[in-house]
Amino acid sequence: MLILGAHYRLAFTHSILAFSQVINAATHYQLDYPDLALILALVRGGSLARASQLLKVDVSTVFRAVRRLEAALGQQLFEKSRAGYLPTTLAQSLAEQAERAEQALEAARIGVEQGGEVISGIVRLTCTDSVLQGLLLPALAQFMPNYPALTLELSTSNDFANLSRRDADIALRLTRTPPEHLVGRRLADISYRVCASERYLQSVNTTDLASLTWIAPDDFLPDHPTVSWRRQTLPGVTPGYRCNSMLSVTELVRAGLGVAALPDFLIGDGLRPLGEPLHGYDTVLWLLTRPDCRALRSVVTLFDELGRALKLP
């Protein structure tokens, strides 16, 4: 028998109460966990056949269970179409709550297995796609397996608006001037170097940078350090390629289409720097969060782990 600790009983109780609040007050039917599991399976599967596989029952059992539940609630949960079973707003809301209960139950099971409380919950993290690829993914691979009950939601963006709007809990940003309303840690200085692929270098003369084909961020990143450097140092150069992310710039350089100033953490195999770092155009990697998030154990845990894993020399 699974015996839940007080912390998990409370979290699970809150989840069940949240489910009940979604239901019209006029109905007296009391939802239970099998009802929620049924709704979640059909939302995830999109069809009776797939839901029956997820629930490990036959198709007719799922069909009858859905019909009974809709009759008991007095509300339609799914609309049948050629695309499958489409959830109504009510079913979608219940499915989202069911996922939270599923996560709470999984955290409780892990806690019992490990003999103590575990870090659980959802943490939303935002960063640029270049930081995600070059820095964050290797860091997550180091420590996330130690937190099986922690769910991480990742989004890529180039601004701080998500933290200000509370769309994210943690941000990794390259900037010299982080917003004053955020708190965080300065992790590393990041420099940029002009780079090209070995293949491209075989056919050009690198002594004249202005004669090379340049790849650069587009107007989506007008204040990027590499844009400022190029306009100051090579004012007559018009890039042959423009991209809306530094990761895309890097991939074009790797494909042998030209040269670009790249952050040092994206300069890997197959790319060769053409000189020293761009003096005066370096930036800083910051790990940032909102002051109110410091009270959330899940956020603090992830923040501390990232701080250790991303501390560059």
Side-chain angles (χ1 to χ4, degrees), residues 17-239:
L17 288 175
F19 303 145
S20 301
Q21 291 171 358
V22 178
I23 301 302
N24 190 300
T27 181
H28 296 291
Y29 182 78
Q30 296 295 312
L31 281 175
D32 56 20
Y33 193 77
D35 293 332
L36 299 170
L38 169 67
I39 295 170
L40 183 57
L42 197 47
V43 169
R44 284 175 171 171
S47 69
L48 292 176
R50 180 59 183 148
S52 68
Q53 294 173 359
L54 294 174
L55 295 170
K56 295 180 172 57
V57 298
D58 57 59
V59 172
S60 60
T61 298
V62 176
F63 176 76
R64 290 193 300 270
V66 172
R67 294 290 297 272
R68 282 197 300 267
L69 183 56
E70 289 182 329
L73 296 176
Q75 299 188 57
Q76 187 176 7
L77 294 173
F78 295 90
E79 297 176 0
K80 189 175 180 181
S81 71
R82 292 183 179 180
Y85 274 65
L86 303 178
T88 62
T89 301
L90 174 60
Q92 190 64 52
S93 178
L94 288 170
E96 291 171 0
Q97 297 289 348
E99 284 187 324
R100 295 191 185 101
E102 186 179 65
Q103 292 164 359
L105 185 58
E106 181 63 19
R109 288 171 175 157
I110 294 172
V112 171
E113 292 171 1
Q114 296 183 353
E117 188 177 4
V118 297
I119 305 299
S120 63
I122 300 173
V123 180
R124 299 162 300 174
L125 189 153
T126 179
C127 64
T128 64
D129 56 358
S130 60
V131 169
L132 174 67
Q133 186 70 29
L135 296 173
L136 180 59
L137 293 183
L140 294 179
Q142 294 179 32
F143 64 81
M144 280 302 288
N146 299 326
Y147 301 97
L150 187 63
T151 299
L152 184 58
E153 294 184 353
L154 295 171
S155 66
T156 55
S157 169
N158 290 294
D159 58 42
F160 292 100
N162 351 40
L163 280 177
S164 301
R165 295 194 309 264
R166 299 175 181 268
D167 292 339
D169 306 308
I170 295 175
L172 281 166
R173 286 289 180 258
L174 296 173
T175 179
R176 281 186 166 277
T177 55
E180 293 184 359
H181 65 280
L182 301 178
V183 295
R185 298 180 190 173
R186 179 180 178 136
L187 297 182
D189 293 325
I190 304 295
S191 60
Y192 295 88
R193 296 171 186 255
V194 176
C195 298
S197 69
E198 295 289 351
R199 182 172 62 179
Y200 180 77
L201 292 176
Q202 292 174 4
S203 59
V204 297
N205 178 8
T206 60
T207 59
D208 182 11
L209 291 180
S211 67
L212 304 179
T213 300
W214 280 83
I215 305 165
D218 61 14
D219 293 339
F220 190 72
L221 298 169
D223 300 320
H224 197 273
T226 63
V227 174
S228 301
W229 172 84
R230 192 191 73 249
R231 289 173 176 168
Q232 179 69 29
T233 308
L234 303 168
V237 166
T238 299

Side-chain angles (χ1 to χ4, degrees), residues 196-197 199-200 214-216 240-243 245-260 262 271:
S197 69
R199 182 172 62 179
Y200 180 77
W214 280 83
I215 305 165
Y241 300 90
R242 295 179 186 271
C243 306
S245 77
M246 286 304 296
L247 186 60
S248 298
V249 170
T250 304
E251 291 307 310
L252 266 66
V253 174
R254 197 179 303 279
L257 296 175
V259 301
L262 302 176
L271 296 181

